[in-house]
Amino acid sequence: MDFEKLDVWRKSSRLSADLYLYFKSCKDYGFKDQITRSGLSVPSNIAEGMTRETEREKYRYLSIAKGSCAELRTQIYIGIEVQYIEKEVGKNWLNQTRLIAAMLEGLMKKLKPR
């Protein structure tokens, strides 16, 4: 399956791009680097996983993507708390990460190694 056709890849790619645009002028380079990296990791691991040969490998990369999604959600909470992220923007991103994680979970269940 082409990863570009997966809704979860499209949604996570869009979120990653949104993060880069939002933090373009952020001067806290440590925070900016961390949150954009975790956001970028989600669609990147989906893409890498879905091009692997075995279901076990695919599952592993989707699991990494799901972990990165949780990491991103944590950073969004902290970003809201320290006022780097506007509350409404953050709430939207939190909802997106929950949806992406649920979509990854569904895809992983289809690939669950025996």
Side-chain angles (χ1 to χ4, degrees), residues 80-106:
I80 293 168
E81 189 70 27
V82 300
Q83 299 177 348
Y84 283 178
I85 301 171
E86 296 167 45
K87 240 183 189 138
E88 287 308 307
V89 171
K91 282 183 186 178
N92 178 26
W93 287 348
L94 290 169
N95 288 334
Q96 288 182 54
T97 59
R98 286 185 196 100
L99 176 62
I100 290 165
M103 293 171 82
L104 285 168
E105 185 69 32

Side-chain angles (χ1 to χ4, degrees), residues 2 15 18 25 29 32 39 45 62 70 77 80 89 93 97:
D2 294 333
L15 178 56
D18 289 347
S25 61
Y29 299 108
K32 174 182 178 176
N45 277 292
L62 293 177
Y77 279 118
I80 293 168
V89 171
W93 287 348
T97 59

Side-chain angles (χ1 to χ4, degrees), residues 43-68:
S44 298
N45 277 292
I46 294 168
E48 186 167 358
M50 296 312 290
T51 58
R52 294 293 174 150
E53 296 296 317
T54 68
E55 289 190 357
R56 182 178 294 279
E57 286 180 298
K58 289 177 177 154
Y59 184 92
R60 180 173 166 266
Y61 278 91
L62 293 177
S63 178
I64 293 167
K66 191 173 168 218
S68 293

Side-chain angles (χ1 to χ4, degrees), residues 4-5 8-10 16-17 24 32 38 41 50 55-56 64-65 69 71 82 94 96 100-101 114:
E4 294 99 331
K5 293 179 181 172
V8 68
W9 179 82
R10 280 187 255 162
S16 180
K24 188 167 30 175
K32 174 182 178 176
S38 59
S41 177
M50 296 312 290
E55 289 190 357
R56 182 178 294 279
I64 293 167
C69 196
E71 181 182 354
V82 300
L94 290 169
Q96 288 182 54
I100 290 165
R114 307 197 197 314

